[in-house]
Amino acid sequence: MGNTFREVKCFKCGHIFMWQKDGIEYQSEYRLESTNELLGIAACPKCGTDMLVIPHILEGISKDSNGIAESGIRGI
């Protein structure tokens, strides 16, 4: 099983960077309310902004965006 890399554009500063879906467990998970699809979490290496990564969409989005559901603590 290989690593998954893709480009992501920071919604705050516009920096485009390579993001690796690393399988790290986070305290919360974020899903699209419309499809219940799990979103990735990335941090811009230029400005440090945390963002959510939607599959097949270049630009990341804020964790506070409309249409995003945050669910409890994972792994507990």
mmCIF file of all heavy atoms in Angstrom, residues 8-47:
data_model
loop_
_atom_site.group_PDB
_atom_site.id
_atom_site.type_symbol
_atom_site.label_atom_id
_atom_site.label_comp_id
_atom_site.label_asym_id
_atom_site.label_seq_id
_atom_site.Cartn_x
_atom_site.Cartn_y
_atom_site.Cartn_z
ATOM 1 N N VAL A 8 -2.633 20.688 -3.010
ATOM 2 C CA VAL A 8 -3.665 21.420 -2.282
ATOM 3 C C VAL A 8 -3.292 22.890 -2.349
ATOM 4 O O VAL A 8 -2.124 23.252 -2.239
ATOM 5 C CB VAL A 8 -3.751 20.970 -0.806
ATOM 6 C CG1 VAL A 8 -4.754 21.812 -0.030
ATOM 7 C CG2 VAL A 8 -4.109 19.503 -0.705
ATOM 8 N N LYS A 9 -4.299 23.744 -2.512
ATOM 9 C CA LYS A 9 -4.093 25.191 -2.524
ATOM 10 C C LYS A 9 -4.656 25.768 -1.234
ATOM 11 O O LYS A 9 -5.813 25.510 -0.888
ATOM 12 C CB LYS A 9 -4.790 25.822 -3.728
ATOM 13 C CG LYS A 9 -4.612 27.322 -3.821
ATOM 14 C CD LYS A 9 -5.299 27.862 -5.061
ATOM 15 C CE LYS A 9 -5.139 29.362 -5.162
ATOM 16 N NZ LYS A 9 -5.840 29.878 -6.345
ATOM 17 N N CYS A 10 -3.854 26.550 -0.541
ATOM 18 C CA CYS A 10 -4.291 27.180 0.699
ATOM 19 C C CYS A 10 -5.362 28.233 0.395
ATOM 20 O O CYS A 10 -5.157 29.097 -0.446
ATOM 21 C CB CYS A 10 -3.109 27.824 1.411
ATOM 22 S SG CYS A 10 -3.564 28.679 2.947
ATOM 23 N N PHE A 11 -6.495 28.132 1.080
ATOM 24 C CA PHE A 11 -7.573 29.095 0.863
ATOM 25 C C PHE A 11 -7.230 30.471 1.410
ATOM 26 O O PHE A 11 -7.826 31.461 1.019
ATOM 27 C CB PHE A 11 -8.894 28.593 1.484
ATOM 28 C CG PHE A 11 -8.906 28.564 2.992
ATOM 29 C CD1 PHE A 11 -9.313 29.663 3.715
ATOM 30 C CD2 PHE A 11 -8.503 27.434 3.681
ATOM 31 C CE1 PHE A 11 -9.322 29.644 5.113
ATOM 32 C CE2 PHE A 11 -8.515 27.394 5.067
ATOM 33 C CZ PHE A 11 -8.921 28.506 5.786
ATOM 34 N N LYS A 12 -6.237 30.554 2.298
ATOM 35 C CA LYS A 12 -5.901 31.830 2.921
ATOM 36 C C LYS A 12 -4.827 32.597 2.143
ATOM 37 O O LYS A 12 -5.000 33.764 1.832
ATOM 38 C CB LYS A 12 -5.445 31.598 4.362
ATOM 39 C CG LYS A 12 -5.264 32.860 5.160
ATOM 40 C CD LYS A 12 -5.006 32.541 6.621
ATOM 41 C CE LYS A 12 -4.915 33.818 7.426
ATOM 42 N NZ LYS A 12 -4.653 33.535 8.845
ATOM 43 N N CYS A 13 -3.705 31.934 1.830
ATOM 44 C CA CYS A 13 -2.595 32.652 1.186
ATOM 45 C C CYS A 13 -2.386 32.274 -0.282
ATOM 46 O O CYS A 13 -1.581 32.895 -0.969
ATOM 47 C CB CYS A 13 -1.306 32.447 1.973
ATOM 48 S SG CYS A 13 -0.552 30.802 1.809
ATOM 49 N N GLY A 14 -3.098 31.248 -0.765
ATOM 50 C CA GLY A 14 -2.979 30.862 -2.169
ATOM 51 C C GLY A 14 -1.805 29.960 -2.488
ATOM 52 O O GLY A 14 -1.624 29.564 -3.633
ATOM 53 N N HIS A 15 -0.995 29.604 -1.492
ATOM 54 C CA HIS A 15 0.164 28.735 -1.709
ATOM 55 C C HIS A 15 -0.298 27.337 -2.123
ATOM 56 O O HIS A 15 -1.221 26.779 -1.531
ATOM 57 C CB HIS A 15 0.994 28.660 -0.420
ATOM 58 C CG HIS A 15 2.207 27.803 -0.523
ATOM 59 N ND1 HIS A 15 3.293 28.146 -1.298
ATOM 60 C CD2 HIS A 15 2.514 26.622 0.057
ATOM 61 C CE1 HIS A 15 4.214 27.206 -1.182
ATOM 62 N NE2 HIS A 15 3.770 26.261 -0.367
ATOM 63 N N ILE A 16 0.330 26.787 -3.149
ATOM 64 C CA ILE A 16 0.033 25.426 -3.589
ATOM 65 C C ILE A 16 1.154 24.524 -3.092
ATOM 66 O O ILE A 16 2.332 24.818 -3.282
ATOM 67 C CB ILE A 16 -0.109 25.351 -5.122
ATOM 68 C CG1 ILE A 16 -1.303 26.198 -5.571
ATOM 69 C CG2 ILE A 16 -0.281 23.902 -5.568
ATOM 70 C CD1 ILE A 16 -1.476 26.285 -7.072
ATOM 71 N N PHE A 17 0.783 23.430 -2.441
ATOM 72 C CA PHE A 17 1.763 22.521 -1.857
ATOM 73 C C PHE A 17 1.324 21.074 -2.045
ATOM 74 O O PHE A 17 0.172 20.800 -2.371
ATOM 75 C CB PHE A 17 1.966 22.837 -0.371
ATOM 76 C CG PHE A 17 0.725 22.728 0.481
ATOM 77 C CD1 PHE A 17 0.444 21.568 1.189
ATOM 78 C CD2 PHE A 17 -0.168 23.784 0.580
ATOM 79 C CE1 PHE A 17 -0.694 21.466 1.973
ATOM 80 C CE2 PHE A 17 -1.306 23.696 1.370
ATOM 81 C CZ PHE A 17 -1.568 22.531 2.069
ATOM 82 N N MET A 18 2.266 20.165 -1.846
ATOM 83 C CA MET A 18 1.952 18.744 -1.910
ATOM 84 C C MET A 18 1.557 18.281 -0.515
ATOM 85 O O MET A 18 2.241 18.553 0.462
ATOM 86 C CB MET A 18 3.152 17.939 -2.413
ATOM 87 C CG MET A 18 3.494 18.200 -3.861
ATOM 88 S SD MET A 18 2.140 17.882 -5.012
ATOM 89 C CE MET A 18 2.018 16.111 -4.925
ATOM 90 N N TRP A 19 0.437 17.584 -0.435
ATOM 91 C CA TRP A 19 -0.084 17.068 0.819
ATOM 92 C C TRP A 19 -0.064 15.549 0.758
ATOM 93 O O TRP A 19 -0.377 14.956 -0.266
ATOM 94 C CB TRP A 19 -1.507 17.579 1.015
ATOM 95 C CG TRP A 19 -2.269 16.938 2.141
ATOM 96 C CD1 TRP A 19 -2.066 17.136 3.472
ATOM 97 C CD2 TRP A 19 -3.349 16.024 2.040
ATOM 98 N NE1 TRP A 19 -2.960 16.397 4.205
ATOM 99 C CE2 TRP A 19 -3.769 15.706 3.334
ATOM 100 C CE3 TRP A 19 -4.022 15.439 0.966
ATOM 101 C CZ2 TRP A 19 -4.811 14.823 3.597
ATOM 102 C CZ3 TRP A 19 -5.065 14.574 1.232
ATOM 103 C CH2 TRP A 19 -5.442 14.276 2.522
ATOM 104 N N GLN A 20 0.345 14.923 1.846
ATOM 105 C CA GLN A 20 0.369 13.474 1.931
ATOM 106 C C GLN A 20 -0.727 12.995 2.866
ATOM 107 O O GLN A 20 -0.783 13.386 4.028
ATOM 108 C CB GLN A 20 1.715 12.979 2.453
ATOM 109 C CG GLN A 20 1.778 11.479 2.593
ATOM 110 C CD GLN A 20 3.098 10.994 3.151
ATOM 111 O OE1 GLN A 20 3.979 11.785 3.474
ATOM 112 N NE2 GLN A 20 3.240 9.701 3.272
ATOM 113 N N LYS A 21 -1.605 12.170 2.341
ATOM 114 C CA LYS A 21 -2.613 11.542 3.186
ATOM 115 C C LYS A 21 -1.877 10.495 4.007
ATOM 116 O O LYS A 21 -1.467 9.461 3.496
ATOM 117 C CB LYS A 21 -3.706 10.894 2.336
ATOM 118 C CG LYS A 21 -4.806 10.298 3.162
ATOM 119 C CD LYS A 21 -5.906 9.728 2.288
ATOM 120 C CE LYS A 21 -6.992 9.148 3.157
ATOM 121 N NZ LYS A 21 -8.063 8.553 2.362
ATOM 122 N N ASP A 22 -1.677 10.803 5.285
ATOM 123 C CA ASP A 22 -0.768 10.004 6.091
ATOM 124 C C ASP A 22 -1.417 9.028 7.047
ATOM 125 O O ASP A 22 -0.740 8.261 7.701
ATOM 126 C CB ASP A 22 0.162 10.935 6.874
ATOM 127 C CG ASP A 22 -0.598 12.005 7.639
ATOM 128 O OD1 ASP A 22 -1.802 11.839 7.884
ATOM 129 O OD2 ASP A 22 0.023 13.017 7.981
ATOM 130 N N GLY A 23 -2.724 9.047 7.186
ATOM 131 C CA GLY A 23 -3.375 8.107 8.079
ATOM 132 C C GLY A 23 -3.241 8.441 9.554
ATOM 133 O O GLY A 23 -3.531 7.609 10.400
ATOM 134 N N ILE A 24 -2.804 9.646 9.874
ATOM 135 C CA ILE A 24 -2.709 10.055 11.272
ATOM 136 C C ILE A 24 -4.111 10.143 11.856
ATOM 137 O O ILE A 24 -5.024 10.650 11.220
ATOM 138 C CB ILE A 24 -2.002 11.431 11.401
ATOM 139 C CG1 ILE A 24 -0.544 11.301 10.998
ATOM 140 C CG2 ILE A 24 -2.122 11.984 12.809
ATOM 141 C CD1 ILE A 24 0.199 12.627 10.957
ATOM 142 N N GLU A 25 -4.281 9.648 13.062
ATOM 143 C CA GLU A 25 -5.571 9.752 13.735
ATOM 144 C C GLU A 25 -5.653 11.104 14.433
ATOM 145 O O GLU A 25 -4.746 11.491 15.166
ATOM 146 C CB GLU A 25 -5.724 8.626 14.762
ATOM 147 C CG GLU A 25 -5.788 7.245 14.148
ATOM 148 C CD GLU A 25 -7.034 7.035 13.302
ATOM 149 O OE1 GLU A 25 -8.107 7.492 13.713
ATOM 150 O OE2 GLU A 25 -6.926 6.410 12.241
ATOM 151 N N TYR A 26 -6.721 11.820 14.189
ATOM 152 C CA TYR A 26 -6.941 13.124 14.799
ATOM 153 C C TYR A 26 -8.036 13.009 15.847
ATOM 154 O O TYR A 26 -8.783 12.033 15.872
ATOM 155 C CB TYR A 26 -7.344 14.149 13.726
ATOM 156 C CG TYR A 26 -6.246 14.407 12.735
ATOM 157 C CD1 TYR A 26 -6.183 13.715 11.534
ATOM 158 C CD2 TYR A 26 -5.254 15.333 13.006
ATOM 159 C CE1 TYR A 26 -5.155 13.943 10.632
ATOM 160 C CE2 TYR A 26 -4.229 15.574 12.101
ATOM 161 C CZ TYR A 26 -4.191 14.872 10.917
ATOM 162 O OH TYR A 26 -3.184 15.093 10.024
ATOM 163 N N GLN A 27 -8.139 14.009 16.708
ATOM 164 C CA GLN A 27 -9.165 13.982 17.744
ATOM 165 C C GLN A 27 -10.564 14.128 17.170
ATOM 166 O O GLN A 27 -11.512 13.636 17.747
ATOM 167 C CB GLN A 27 -8.901 15.075 18.771
ATOM 168 C CG GLN A 27 -7.715 14.772 19.649
ATOM 169 C CD GLN A 27 -7.567 15.791 20.756
ATOM 170 O OE1 GLN A 27 -8.060 16.906 20.651
ATOM 171 N NE2 GLN A 27 -6.887 15.411 21.804
ATOM 172 N N SER A 28 -10.690 14.818 16.070
ATOM 173 C CA SER A 28 -11.994 14.994 15.426
ATOM 174 C C SER A 28 -11.885 14.571 13.976
ATOM 175 O O SER A 28 -10.812 14.564 13.394
ATOM 176 C CB SER A 28 -12.420 16.462 15.467
ATOM 177 O OG SER A 28 -12.626 16.891 16.777
ATOM 178 N N GLU A 29 -13.014 14.194 13.420
ATOM 179 C CA GLU A 29 -13.054 13.941 11.987
ATOM 180 C C GLU A 29 -14.095 14.862 11.380
ATOM 181 O O GLU A 29 -15.049 15.277 12.041
ATOM 182 C CB GLU A 29 -13.328 12.482 11.668
ATOM 183 C CG GLU A 29 -14.679 11.970 12.045
ATOM 184 C CD GLU A 29 -14.868 10.497 11.698
ATOM 185 O OE1 GLU A 29 -13.889 9.798 11.405
ATOM 186 O OE2 GLU A 29 -16.019 10.052 11.714
ATOM 187 N N TYR A 30 -13.878 15.205 10.134
ATOM 188 C CA TYR A 30 -14.744 16.140 9.427
ATOM 189 C C TYR A 30 -15.293 15.449 8.195
ATOM 190 O O TYR A 30 -14.560 14.761 7.487
ATOM 191 C CB TYR A 30 -13.956 17.386 9.030
ATOM 192 C CG TYR A 30 -13.420 18.147 10.218
ATOM 193 C CD1 TYR A 30 -12.198 17.824 10.785
ATOM 194 C CD2 TYR A 30 -14.158 19.178 10.791
ATOM 195 C CE1 TYR A 30 -11.709 18.508 11.889
ATOM 196 C CE2 TYR A 30 -13.675 19.871 11.891
ATOM 197 C CZ TYR A 30 -12.459 19.522 12.436
ATOM 198 O OH TYR A 30 -11.990 20.198 13.525
ATOM 199 N N ARG A 31 -16.580 15.647 7.954
ATOM 200 C CA ARG A 31 -17.242 15.033 6.812
ATOM 201 C C ARG A 31 -18.106 16.068 6.091
ATOM 202 O O ARG A 31 -18.583 17.010 6.710
ATOM 203 C CB ARG A 31 -18.134 13.877 7.255
ATOM 204 C CG ARG A 31 -17.353 12.712 7.831
ATOM 205 C CD ARG A 31 -18.273 11.567 8.237
ATOM 206 N NE ARG A 31 -17.514 10.460 8.772
ATOM 207 C CZ ARG A 31 -17.002 9.471 8.039
ATOM 208 N NH1 ARG A 31 -17.182 9.472 6.736
ATOM 209 N NH2 ARG A 31 -16.314 8.499 8.609
ATOM 210 N N LEU A 32 -18.311 15.851 4.798
ATOM 211 C CA LEU A 32 -19.261 16.661 4.045
ATOM 212 C C LEU A 32 -20.657 16.238 4.484
ATOM 213 O O LEU A 32 -20.967 15.045 4.495
ATOM 214 C CB LEU A 32 -19.111 16.424 2.543
ATOM 215 C CG LEU A 32 -17.896 17.021 1.859
ATOM 216 C CD1 LEU A 32 -17.844 16.579 0.408
ATOM 217 C CD2 LEU A 32 -17.913 18.534 1.956
ATOM 218 N N GLU A 33 -21.485 17.193 4.877
ATOM 219 C CA GLU A 33 -22.843 16.857 5.307
ATOM 220 C C GLU A 33 -23.658 16.225 4.182
ATOM 221 O O GLU A 33 -24.475 15.340 4.422
ATOM 222 C CB GLU A 33 -23.554 18.103 5.838
ATOM 223 C CG GLU A 33 -23.036 18.556 7.177
ATOM 224 C CD GLU A 33 -23.734 19.804 7.699
ATOM 225 O OE1 GLU A 33 -24.419 20.498 6.906
ATOM 226 O OE2 GLU A 33 -23.587 20.090 8.895
ATOM 227 N N SER A 34 -23.435 16.661 2.956
ATOM 228 C CA SER A 34 -24.238 16.191 1.826
ATOM 229 C C SER A 34 -23.968 14.731 1.460
ATOM 230 O O SER A 34 -24.877 14.017 1.047
ATOM 231 C CB SER A 34 -24.004 17.078 0.610
ATOM 232 O OG SER A 34 -22.642 17.070 0.249
ATOM 233 N N THR A 35 -22.723 14.271 1.614
ATOM 234 C CA THR A 35 -22.366 12.911 1.181
ATOM 235 C C THR A 35 -21.806 12.044 2.306
ATOM 236 O O THR A 35 -21.582 10.858 2.104
ATOM 237 C CB THR A 35 -21.300 12.962 0.073
ATOM 238 O OG1 THR A 35 -20.104 13.544 0.608
ATOM 239 C CG2 THR A 35 -21.784 13.749 -1.128
ATOM 240 N N ASN A 36 -21.531 12.633 3.453
ATOM 241 C CA ASN A 36 -20.916 11.942 4.595
ATOM 242 C C ASN A 36 -19.478 11.488 4.286
ATOM 243 O O ASN A 36 -18.926 10.626 4.963
ATOM 244 C CB ASN A 36 -21.768 10.765 5.063
ATOM 245 C CG ASN A 36 -21.484 10.417 6.511
ATOM 246 O OD1 ASN A 36 -21.227 11.296 7.336
ATOM 247 N ND2 ASN A 36 -21.536 9.136 6.830
ATOM 248 N N GLU A 37 -18.870 12.068 3.255
ATOM 249 C CA GLU A 37 -17.511 11.708 2.854
ATOM 250 C C GLU A 37 -16.500 12.288 3.843
ATOM 251 O O GLU A 37 -16.573 13.453 4.211
ATOM 252 C CB GLU A 37 -17.241 12.246 1.446
ATOM 253 C CG GLU A 37 -15.927 11.812 0.871
ATOM 254 C CD GLU A 37 -15.812 12.167 -0.601
ATOM 255 O OE1 GLU A 37 -16.512 13.075 -1.068
ATOM 256 O OE2 GLU A 37 -14.996 11.527 -1.264
ATOM 257 N N LEU A 38 -15.553 11.461 4.275
ATOM 258 C CA LEU A 38 -14.508 11.871 5.208
ATOM 259 C C LEU A 38 -13.515 12.781 4.497
ATOM 260 O O LEU A 38 -13.080 12.503 3.382
ATOM 261 C CB LEU A 38 -13.785 10.640 5.762
ATOM 262 C CG LEU A 38 -12.712 10.882 6.811
ATOM 263 C CD1 LEU A 38 -13.318 11.496 8.073
ATOM 264 C CD2 LEU A 38 -12.011 9.574 7.147
ATOM 265 N N LEU A 39 -13.144 13.891 5.152
ATOM 266 C CA LEU A 39 -12.214 14.859 4.578
ATOM 267 C C LEU A 39 -10.848 14.733 5.225
ATOM 268 O O LEU A 39 -10.735 14.385 6.401
ATOM 269 C CB LEU A 39 -12.750 16.272 4.787
ATOM 270 C CG LEU A 39 -14.148 16.541 4.251
ATOM 271 C CD1 LEU A 39 -14.582 17.955 4.588
ATOM 272 C CD2 LEU A 39 -14.205 16.301 2.760
ATOM 273 N N GLY A 40 -9.816 15.048 4.454
ATOM 274 C CA GLY A 40 -8.459 15.072 4.987
ATOM 275 C C GLY A 40 -8.203 16.384 5.714
ATOM 276 O O GLY A 40 -8.945 17.359 5.563
ATOM 277 N N ILE A 41 -7.145 16.395 6.505
ATOM 278 C CA ILE A 41 -6.745 17.597 7.239
ATOM 279 C C ILE A 41 -5.308 17.921 6.833
ATOM 280 O O ILE A 41 -4.439 17.054 6.843
ATOM 281 C CB ILE A 41 -6.828 17.366 8.761
ATOM 282 C CG1 ILE A 41 -8.266 17.009 9.160
ATOM 283 C CG2 ILE A 41 -6.350 18.595 9.515
ATOM 284 C CD1 ILE A 41 -8.414 16.574 10.605
ATOM 285 N N ALA A 42 -5.074 19.181 6.465
ATOM 286 C CA ALA A 42 -3.741 19.624 6.045
ATOM 287 C C ALA A 42 -3.417 20.959 6.698
ATOM 288 O O ALA A 42 -4.308 21.676 7.137
ATOM 289 C CB ALA A 42 -3.690 19.770 4.522
ATOM 290 N N ALA A 43 -2.130 21.275 6.729
ATOM 291 C CA ALA A 43 -1.666 22.577 7.208
ATOM 292 C C ALA A 43 -0.773 23.176 6.134
ATOM 293 O O ALA A 43 0.119 22.503 5.619
ATOM 294 C CB ALA A 43 -0.902 22.441 8.516
ATOM 295 N N CYS A 44 -1.012 24.426 5.790
ATOM 296 C CA CYS A 44 -0.205 25.102 4.783
ATOM 297 C C CYS A 44 1.213 25.287 5.317
ATOM 298 O O CYS A 44 1.392 25.850 6.398
ATOM 299 C CB CYS A 44 -0.826 26.457 4.445
ATOM 300 S SG CYS A 44 0.163 27.410 3.263
ATOM 301 N N PRO A 45 2.227 24.844 4.585
ATOM 302 C CA PRO A 45 3.602 25.010 5.049
ATOM 303 C C PRO A 45 4.091 26.457 4.984
ATOM 304 O O PRO A 45 5.079 26.800 5.617
ATOM 305 C CB PRO A 45 4.415 24.110 4.120
ATOM 306 C CG PRO A 45 3.582 23.967 2.893
ATOM 307 C CD PRO A 45 2.151 24.088 3.337
ATOM 308 N N LYS A 46 3.382 27.316 4.247
ATOM 309 C CA LYS A 46 3.801 28.711 4.126
ATOM 310 C C LYS A 46 3.230 29.574 5.254
ATOM 311 O O LYS A 46 3.963 30.314 5.908
ATOM 312 C CB LYS A 46 3.372 29.280 2.772
ATOM 313 C CG LYS A 46 3.849 30.692 2.534
ATOM 314 C CD LYS A 46 3.519 31.162 1.130
ATOM 315 C CE LYS A 46 4.028 32.580 0.918
ATOM 316 N NZ LYS A 46 3.675 33.059 -0.424
ATOM 317 N N CYS A 47 1.911 29.471 5.502
ATOM 318 C CA CYS A 47 1.292 30.358 6.502
ATOM 319 C C CYS A 47 0.800 29.623 7.752
ATOM 320 O O CYS A 47 0.402 30.252 8.718
ATOM 321 C CB CYS A 47 0.149 31.159 5.881
ATOM 322 S SG CYS A 47 -1.317 30.192 5.478
#
